[in-house]
Amino acid sequence: MSDNKEKEIIEVKEVEAERINNNETFKPRFKAIRLSPLFLVGILIYVVTAFWGLFICFDVVKEVFGPIIAFLGLIFFPFILALAPWYAALANHDFYPLLIVYGGALLGTMCFRIAMRSTFKR
């Protein structure tokens, strides 16, 4: 009786050893993806132009409504900051805030699209 159990244990160990040799015990669920450096460039463009545009738009709102309303607009009414580059372009003929905010978003999106195509091309 002990010979049968011993043979079963040996057979189980052999099957486990074969599975380990064949790498069947651990298979990664996701393939390794090589990211393009343009992903990092796109993220940097988004972050830099977002903060730069925020400060420029806050300055435009501060000039028009004053510092207290600008601060309250930053917290409670962020749509005012979204309209600030358009106000600066139409009222003051200053296209710089519009260029920073929307140009940065466009440039960051282009970097992401190029990176996606180069990373996941077939």
Side-chain angles (χ1 to χ4, degrees):
M1 184 99 172
S2 70
D3 284 336
N4 282 340
K5 286 189 178 184
E6 194 172 303
K7 286 182 182 180
E8 282 182 29
I9 291 174
I10 290 173
E11 287 177 5
V12 169
K13 286 185 180 180
E14 287 176 355
V15 170
E16 288 295 319
E18 285 179 24
R19 285 180 58 195
I20 290 172
N21 287 338
N22 292 334
N23 291 329
E24 293 179 6
T25 56
F26 175 74
K27 286 188 178 182
R29 294 183 182 181
F30 302 105
K31 291 182 178 180
I33 298 174
R34 288 190 177 151
L35 294 178
S36 172
L38 283 176
F39 278 116
L40 179 63
V41 171
I43 290 171
L44 286 175
I45 288 172
Y46 278 142
V47 169
V48 168
T49 58
F51 282 112
W52 194 3
L54 176 69
F55 289 127
I56 290 173
C57 292
F58 183 79
D59 206 28
V60 168
V61 172
K62 187 173 71 173
E63 286 178 11
V64 174
F65 295 112
I68 294 173
I69 301 296
F71 181 72
L72 290 175
L74 180 68
I75 304 274
F76 297 112
F77 307 110
F79 68 90
I80 294 173
L81 292 174
L83 296 176
W86 293 101
Y87 175 80
L90 296 175
N92 300 337
H93 303 290
D94 183 17
F95 292 96
Y96 186 67
L98 198 64
L99 179 68
I100 294 298
V101 173
Y102 293 102
L106 184 66
L107 188 62
T109 302
M110 284 179 16
C111 286
F112 267 112
R113 287 197 178 222
I114 293 170
M116 289 293 282
R117 286 190 180 178
S118 68
T119 301
F120 298 114
K121 65 182 176 185
R122 293 180 184 189

